[in-house]
Amino acid sequence: MARLTIGAPSLGKEGANKRALVVFGSAAFPLSVEIINKMTITLSMPEAGGTFRPLATRIATFKNFDRLQRAVSSFEQVAKLNNARTLVEIVTQDDESAPDDKQSDGAGGDSDSGDGSPVVKILQDNEEAFVVELQSVSFEPLRSQVREDGTLTAGGLKAFEEAKAAAESEGQGG
């Protein structure tokens, strides 16, 4: 499995295109990859095959490395504009010996609703509390923020982002 994480680069860090060459340069094309949107916004990226729903995974196929590189460059520009530490991950499972740009942050294990939307796991649903889990983050959204199929509304995604940020700040502070 090869993995490339694209986000706003730090000072002195090489760009995503150079890392894409290392990770996918020797791959056989056409190449099918999973693109995981790590943001709570919809990304529209024609270079990568269309629209990517918030926190969802979608399959994209690239005819050659140049097309993949064009998509990587566009994703990196969007990450810079939004100051996003992690915008997307591009993952292939074709070759077990392929290089891995960055370790997974646990997002890959979530199921989806069939259209690429992540589905929350309900931990508690009674009169006392409504607690759900997504990407190993437990939080308490309003019941109206979780659809019947288990996907989150925009308000639910915002509640998830807030809980995720709080969990990350607790992890760094303590």
Side-chain angles (χ1 to χ4, degrees):
M1 171 172 61
R3 179 182 308 268
L4 175 66
T5 302
I6 301 174
S10 312
L11 287 175
K13 187 176 178 182
E14 64 184 17
N17 278 322
K18 287 184 181 179
R19 291 183 286 126
L21 183 59
V22 171
V23 175
F24 300 113
S26 62
F29 286 86
L31 179 66
S32 289
V33 296
E34 288 182 348
I35 299 179
I36 305 163
N37 181 357
K38 306 297 277 183
M39 300 290 288
T40 57
I41 59 173
T42 300
L43 298 172
S44 179
M45 196 65 59
E47 300 91 327
T51 303
F52 297 85
R53 294 188 56 164
L55 305 171
T57 301
R58 181 174 175 176
I59 303 293
T61 302
F62 296 96
K63 293 180 182 179
N64 54 43
F65 182 75
D66 290 338
R67 289 186 184 236
L68 173 66
Q69 196 169 29
R70 195 172 307 138
V72 166
S73 179
S74 294
F75 279 129
E76 187 175 42
Q77 290 173 8
V78 171
K80 284 179 186 177
L81 290 171
N82 289 287
N83 198 25
R85 195 177 85 205
T86 304
L87 182 77
V88 296
E89 284 185 355
I90 301 175
V91 182
T92 181
Q93 299 185 351
D94 296 342
D95 184 7
E96 292 298 321
S97 63
D100 194 356
D101 172 60
K102 187 172 180 179
Q103 70 280 358
S104 172
D105 66 355
D110 295 315
S111 60
D112 64 49
S113 63
D115 66 355
S117 300
V119 176
V120 297
K121 177 181 177 184
I122 298 176
L123 301 177
Q124 183 178 351
D125 185 7
N126 55 31
E127 294 80 33
E128 296 175 19
F130 182 58
V131 182
V132 299
E133 180 180 62
L134 178 63
Q135 296 180 0
S136 301
V137 176
S138 298
F139 62 105
E140 295 185 40
L142 300 173
R143 281 184 171 78
S144 63
Q145 293 175 331
V146 179
R147 295 184 187 100
E148 284 185 24
D149 64 359
T151 59
L152 297 173
T153 64
L157 288 171
K158 183 177 179 187
F160 165 71
E161 276 298 311
E162 290 170 356
K164 183 177 174 183
E168 287 174 355
S169 67
E170 284 178 16
Q172 293 172 356

